[in-house]
Amino acid sequence: MTKSFPDGFRWGVSTSSYQIEGGADDDGRGDSIWDTYCATPGRVANGDNGRVACDHYHLWAEDLDLIKGLGARHYRFSVMWPRVLPEGTGKVNETGIDFYSRLVDGMLERDIDPWLCLYHWDLPQALQDRGGWTNRDIVDWFGDYTELLVTRLGDRIKSWVTFNEPNVVAWVGHEEGRHAPGITDPRAAMRVTHHLNLCHARATRIIKHHYPDAPVGFVLPMHKGYTLPHRREQDAHLIELFEAKWNGAFLDPVYYGRYPELILDRMEPHIRPGDLEAIRTDVDFQGLNQYFPSYIQAAEGKAWPFQHVEPPKYFRRTEMGWAIDGDCFYRTMKILQENYGNPPVFVTENGGAFTDVPGHNGHVDDQDRIAYYTEYLDALLRAVSEGANVQGYMPWSLLDNFEWAYGYDKRFGLVHVDYETLKRTPKASYEFMRNVITQNALP
Ligand code: IFM
């Protein structure tokens, strides 16, 4: 029995600049914080970095053909800030702008809608040297960067994403230090959170000023908190705080002009009069990324009174060790439906890393990834059948790519990339997804 998606459901695919572009030494691109992070011994597996990555900077036309071949009509890509502004502000690198201009034209020629994401983690190192996200001046820097892209590319962009996963920027980059810039300062992370929210609002206003009808949103990986079954009594009260930190800190100020009560004391030192009014902006869509359920447990002596723990053994896991749980995905869509006014939702990332072993002909028969997508898409259909306003889906990711601190060890692509030859080979999951997209239904 096939299970159909709503008529007009929009299918796309996602990537990000640092993870695929390479071309690090080409045409005047500046360094980003990920260049620095990768060059710091011990930060990234195998000492990997994104200097060549999938060489999308040179092979972009082939990659757009792969998107077209998939039947996807929407492509969320990100712009590498230091490729267009090597110092973060000031002098524009015209060659960088030309690259994105050609890329966008290439999408339109193939009937693919460009979804431009302004920030997927590659802050110019020059701005990090001035304090990066902890410096409130970043609101102006980000505004100028947005203005540049809107005036140069805005006539051809169909949808705008201000941030990919601002919560990961704040918590993983500035509290846990497992991502660039590798800072471990909980207070700085709160400050960064507030600046990210201010930047989202500033960018939204700039885009709307030039293109009032252009859809604008931000992308959040929503984390649903769970307790281990045998610790429910001790830990259940922490779920609300956990979700306030990971979700509410970014959703509530934008949707409701306030921070969740439970984190207000931590946020207050960073808020100036008028900030919350400024942050409250209409979102045209909510980007939702989803991967795994978050199991937490009470902890002492930490920045927060909880810590992440291993989910129960009964979950199957991806190669990242992430528990596979379509029901958690369903619940995040229901949270948006029930607590945030049921905004139009686009799933902007969802997928799994698995051990992909190419056969003798280079083909990857990734049945575990197909099973993963089947479970999560089934959950999406369940949420939609209950009224959740989910309007589109973009798997993560088109290509195997640089998986941040895991380097190239973890593969998320629908298309296999041989990092020696840069040859692209569609996997079985690519055929599966093409089928789903063409039929607008799950087999
Ligand atoms: O690869 C990342 C992506 O950059 C952001 N969301 C999660 C993906 C998988 O870890």
Side-chain angles (χ1 to χ4, degrees):
M1 197 186 83
T2 57
K3 296 179 176 180
S4 296
F5 292 87
D7 286 345
F9 193 77
R10 291 194 255 172
W11 295 97
V13 71
S14 285
T15 65
S16 91
S17 42
Y18 192 78
Q19 292 180 275
I20 64 167
E21 277 183 15
D25 300 316
D26 288 78
D27 305 331
R29 157 190 175 309
D31 277 346
S32 82
I33 54 174
W34 271 94
D35 292 301
T36 309
Y37 195 75
C38 291
T40 311
R43 290 296 206 183
V44 175
N46 317 313
D48 288 345
N49 60 53
R51 301 197 74 75
V52 175
C54 306
D55 201 22
H56 173 77
Y57 187 70
H58 297 107
L59 301 178
W60 59 270
E62 187 182 335
D63 294 338
L64 293 185
D65 287 343
L66 284 164
I67 298 174
K68 177 83 178 162
L70 189 63
R73 291 281 319 280
H74 304 268
Y75 176 37
R76 182 178 70 114
F77 68 105
S78 70
V79 170
M80 188 181 286
W81 187 342
R83 194 182 285 292
V84 296
L85 287 166
E87 295 299 317
T89 58
K91 192 167 173 350
V92 175
N93 178 24
E94 293 296 341
T95 331
I97 295 281
D98 289 347
F99 167 67
Y100 292 109
S101 189
R102 280 196 305 277
L103 186 66
V104 167
D105 287 345
M107 291 177 217
L108 296 174
E109 280 158 20
R110 290 168 180 78
D111 206 16
I112 297 166
D113 281 2
W115 289 52
L116 189 154
C117 174
L118 291 164
Y119 190 75
H120 198 128
W121 308 353
D122 30 21
L123 185 76
Q125 180 58 42
L127 295 184
Q128 186 60 41
D129 296 341
R130 295 159 74 184
W133 291 106
T134 65
N135 184 342
R136 197 175 158 113
D137 288 348
I138 198 148
V139 183
D140 292 331
W141 304 335
F142 194 70
D144 292 348
Y145 165 59
T146 305
E147 180 82 28
L148 172 68
L149 295 187
V150 174
T151 49
R152 299 301 189 86
L153 305 173
D155 55 337
R156 288 159 286 159
I157 299 304
K158 301 292 181 200
S159 295
W160 293 85
V161 172
T162 54
F163 284 99
N164 180 72
E165 306 188 351
N167 48 5
V168 172
V169 174
W171 311 128
V172 185
H174 294 82
E175 185 181 78
E176 299 175 24
R178 290 186 292 112
H179 276 185
I183 291 170
T184 50
D185 177 350
R187 190 181 156 92
M190 305 307 297
R191 189 169 174 74
V192 166
T193 295
H194 189 56
H195 293 167
L196 287 162
N197 287 329
L198 285 166
C199 285
H200 164 75
R202 172 74 67 91
T204 301
R205 290 201 170 83
I206 290 171
I207 298 164
K208 291 290 186 187
H209 171 74
H210 290 275
Y211 295 98
D213 297 330
V216 184
F218 68 102
V219 162
L220 203 68
M222 283 182 64
H223 285 269
K224 176 87 201 74
Y226 294 86
T227 59
L228 291 171
H230 69 280
R231 288 196 46 103
R232 196 151 290 147
E233 270 182 28
Q234 299 100 302
D235 298 332
H237 69 287
L238 294 167
I239 298 275
E240 209 186 328
L241 177 63
F242 169 80
E243 291 181 3
K245 174 189 178 189
W246 278 93
N247 307 329
F250 298 88
L251 292 170
D252 292 14
V254 173
Y255 283 78
Y256 299 122
R258 57 168 190 256
Y259 282 106
E261 195 62 39
L262 289 174
I263 61 165
L264 201 51
D265 55 337
R266 296 172 188 248
M267 291 305 309
E268 254 165 357
H270 313 293
I271 304 173
R272 293 192 190 161
D275 280 0
L276 289 167
E277 292 76 4
I279 293 173
R280 214 221 62 74
T281 36
D282 292 337
V283 292
D284 297 310
F285 62 89
Q286 182 60 53
L288 172 65
N289 292 356
Q290 181 64 198
Y291 289 96
F292 54 84
S294 296
Y295 277 77
I296 58 161
Q297 178 171 312
E300 281 173 19
K302 302 205 176 271
W304 297 80
F306 53 76
Q307 62 185 358
H308 289 259
V309 288
E310 270 299 303
K313 294 258 182 300
Y314 52 74
F315 285 112
R316 286 176 299 117
R317 284 164 162 76
T318 70
E319 199 46 26
M320 299 289 282
W322 294 347
I324 300 175
D325 185 10
D327 187 68
C328 173
F329 182 30
Y330 160 83
R331 285 175 198 280
T332 57
M333 292 177 272
K334 295 297 284 180
I335 291 175
L336 289 171
Q337 179 184 0
E338 287 162 10
N339 300 352
Y340 293 95
N342 207 13
V345 171
F346 286 87
V347 177
T348 33
E349 283 185 27
N350 173 234
F354 293 96
T355 321
D356 293 333
V357 185
H360 67 280
N361 55 0
H363 184 66
V364 176
D365 189 20
D366 53 342
Q367 293 302 323
D368 32 17
R369 186 172 286 105
I370 291 174
Y372 177 104
Y373 279 128
T374 305
E375 175 170 336
Y376 278 71
L377 285 170
D378 200 57
L380 188 155
L381 282 174
R382 179 152 66 104
V384 168
S385 74
E386 294 176 16
N389 191 8
V390 185
Q391 301 191 355
Y393 179 88
M394 301 176 177
W396 182 268
S397 180
L398 175 68
L399 304 171
D400 290 338
N401 59 52
F402 174 77
E403 177 53 25
W404 308 113
Y406 295 88
Y408 295 98
D409 281 352
K410 308 292 183 213
R411 294 176 176 271
F412 277 86
L414 297 171
V415 175
H416 179 268
V417 176
D418 178 328
Y419 293 116
E420 295 294 316
T421 62
L422 296 170
K423 183 171 176 347
R424 279 89 160 122
T425 310
K427 303 176 190 175
S429 56
Y430 177 94
E431 300 304 329
F432 165 83
M433 197 58 76
R434 174 164 60 189
N435 224 345
V436 171
I437 294 174
T438 316
Q439 304 296 321
N440 198 36
L442 262 185

